[in-house]
Amino acid sequence: METVIIIGSGPAGLTAAVYAARANLNPLVLAGGLYGGQLMLTTEVENYPGFPDGIMGPDMMMKFREQAERFGARIENVDATSVDFTKKPFVVRTDDTEYRAKTVIVATGASARWLDIPGEEKFRGRGVSTCATCDGAFFREKHIVVVGGGDSAMEEALFLTRFGTKVTVIHRRDHLRASKIMAARAEAHEKIDFIWNTVVEEVLGDTVMHGLVLRNVVDGSTRALDADALFIAIGHTPNTAIFDGQLDLDENGYIVSPDGVSTNIDGVFVAGDVNDLRYKQAITAAGAGCKAAMDVEKYLEALDFAVEEAFAP
Ligand code: NAP
């Protein structure tokens, strides 16, 4: 029987692990086959306090991991494949093991969304990407396209101007969803242009991507656009498939939590992007991981007290 299982190993999961380990709860972290979360896909992190010169995302996650292990957290690079929160102890399964746990912290994060169009998968890593910071530098002096109209798309487009000769933002409507300041910055940039009311229907290429098929959603016309790279920035999907039917999810699939820590199941806690459509920052995820571990500790204390009470002479 595990005292606490933490599912996920981004800033939320590993901060929960540090706090739970230091509280002598001997946490088990199911870190996932691709451990470390979204920061493993970024380059420099410049806004995490304590790193005035910035730090590479993967390096930061290795530090989080070392710190959790230093205090005794056990970290397995395996995916949780299913859970049963309908009874206690809770059950968490991986491909080859079934764990029982008194408490669980869900910190499975979110993943970038894809367009799901022909050619997208074929040219993934050969022109098509969801991570400008990871792949932008491959497209120096090239024509780069960004799809999306939100803050992420503007941020990616602005970042990509460092590399591309031109960055074209393609948005399915005629105005941006992005915040005014981000939109204004992108609109004012001499290297960025916009194609409105348009969706990408297909990625074209041979061994690498060479262009896109675009469709105007107003008049239905289609045309080809020469381009060397396509960065997709259309939001994220929370990684909650295995919790469907077990935990309350909202209409976007995020875990519902009144306080950003508790869930509809007593003893199951949540932390980080899996419950956060709004902030989605490493620092906010880490803060949530800390809170979740502290609430686990309180929950277990109350549980032990209840057991003692029940068996009191
Ligand atoms: P978002 O705000 O949900 O924007 C997603 C964009 O993608 C929207 O413009 C949407 O179009 C478009 N889109 C969605 N599905 C599409 C599809 N299948 N085909 C074409 N376009 C599609 O997501 P986000 O930009 O990732 O931002 C999420 C949150 O993080 C926001 O609250 C944002 O403010 C925040 N954020 C902040 C910063 C910052 O402040 N520096 C940076 C990044 C993110 P519609 O507009 O038509 O719906």
Side-chain angles (χ1 to χ4, degrees), residues 113 115 147-153 155 171-173 177 182 199 233-236 277-278 280:
R113 287 171 60 194
L115 288 168
V147 176
D151 280 330
S152 296
E155 200 170 65
H171 184 36
R172 63 184 177 181
R173 292 187 294 138
R177 175 179 296 278
M182 296 289 284
V199 292
I234 59 169
H236 289 78
L277 177 65
R278 184 164 172 196
K280 303 193 311 178

Side-chain angles (χ1 to χ4, degrees), residues 1-309:
M1 167 88 83
E2 298 290 341
T3 305
V4 54
I5 291 181
I6 298 166
I7 310 176
S9 58
L14 291 179
T15 302
V18 169
Y19 274 77
R22 285 174 58 82
N24 276 339
L25 300 179
N26 190 24
L28 172 67
V29 181
L30 301 179
L34 295 171
Y35 69 88
Q38 291 181 69
L39 284 184
M40 299 299 279
L41 303 175
T42 58
T43 50
E44 197 154 15
V45 179
E46 292 185 321
N47 56 5
Y48 200 92
F51 296 94
D53 301 321
I55 179 169
M56 299 301 280
D59 293 345
M60 182 157 109
M61 293 326 297
M62 287 316 295
K63 286 186 184 292
F64 269 68
R65 188 175 173 131
E66 275 168 33
Q67 193 171 355
E69 284 176 329
R70 179 179 151 210
F71 296 112
R74 293 161 298 141
I75 303 180
E76 307 272 349
N77 291 343
V78 290
D79 289 308
T81 50
S82 69
V83 296
D84 186 351
F85 295 155
T86 60
K87 54 181 191 243
K88 289 177 180 167
F90 303 123
V91 174
V92 180
R93 298 182 196 91
T94 64
D95 271 342
D96 53 19
T97 310
E98 181 170 297
Y99 298 96
R100 295 182 319 140
K102 287 184 189 172
T103 63
V104 175
I105 296 175
V106 176
T108 47
S111 303
R113 287 171 60 194
W114 295 86
L115 288 168
D116 207 12
I117 53 170
E120 180 182 59
E121 197 168 338
K122 179 175 173 192
F123 295 110
R124 223 181 259 190
R126 283 178 282 164
V128 178
S129 170
T130 55
C131 178
T133 41
C134 317
D135 300 326
F138 297 124
F139 302 101
R140 278 177 207 282
E141 308 297 312
K142 303 280 187 193
H143 179 200
I144 300 172
V145 169
V146 174
V147 176
D151 280 330
S152 296
M154 297 311 107
E155 200 170 65
E156 302 271 90
L158 285 161
F159 176 76
L160 289 164
T161 58
R162 298 184 197 184
F163 309 108
T165 44
K166 181 166 95 162
V167 177
T168 301
V169 174
I170 296 179
H171 184 36
R172 63 184 177 181
R173 292 187 294 138
D174 64 358
H175 60 275
L176 296 170
R177 175 179 296 278
S179 58
K180 285 203 168 50
I181 185 165
M182 296 289 284
R185 233 183 260 169
E187 281 167 346
H189 200 289
E190 57 181 9
K191 278 194 182 177
I192 299 180
D193 65 357
F194 290 82
I195 299 179
W196 304 105
N197 293 317
T198 296
V199 292
V200 179
E201 285 214 316
E202 188 176 350
V203 184
L204 305 172
D206 39 49
T207 52
V208 295
M209 172 188 151
H210 289 317
L212 303 168
V213 176
L214 309 184
R215 181 169 57 82
N216 182 303
V217 294
V218 177
D219 63 16
S221 62
T222 58
R223 67 174 168 117
L225 177 76
D226 288 341
D228 305 291
L230 171 66
F231 285 87
I232 299 163
I234 59 169
H236 289 78
T237 305
N239 298 322
T240 50
I242 64 167
F243 308 109
D244 197 8
Q246 299 277 334
L247 294 175
D248 285 349
L249 306 181
D250 70 13
E251 66 279 10
N252 296 310
Y254 287 83
I255 294 173
V256 175
S257 170
D259 52 8
V261 184
S262 58
T263 69
N264 59 306
I265 305 281
D266 228 21
V268 177
F269 300 83
V270 68
D273 285 11
V274 71
N275 151 255
D276 177 14
L277 177 65
R278 184 164 172 196
Y279 297 104
K280 303 193 311 178
Q281 300 299 305
I283 186 71
T284 51
C290 159
K291 289 186 199 172
M294 291 176 79
D295 279 9
V296 160
E297 204 184 340
K298 286 223 160 50
Y299 171 85
L300 289 167
E301 271 168 24
L303 208 63
D304 287 347
F305 183 72
V307 171
E308 275 168 28
E309 283 276 279

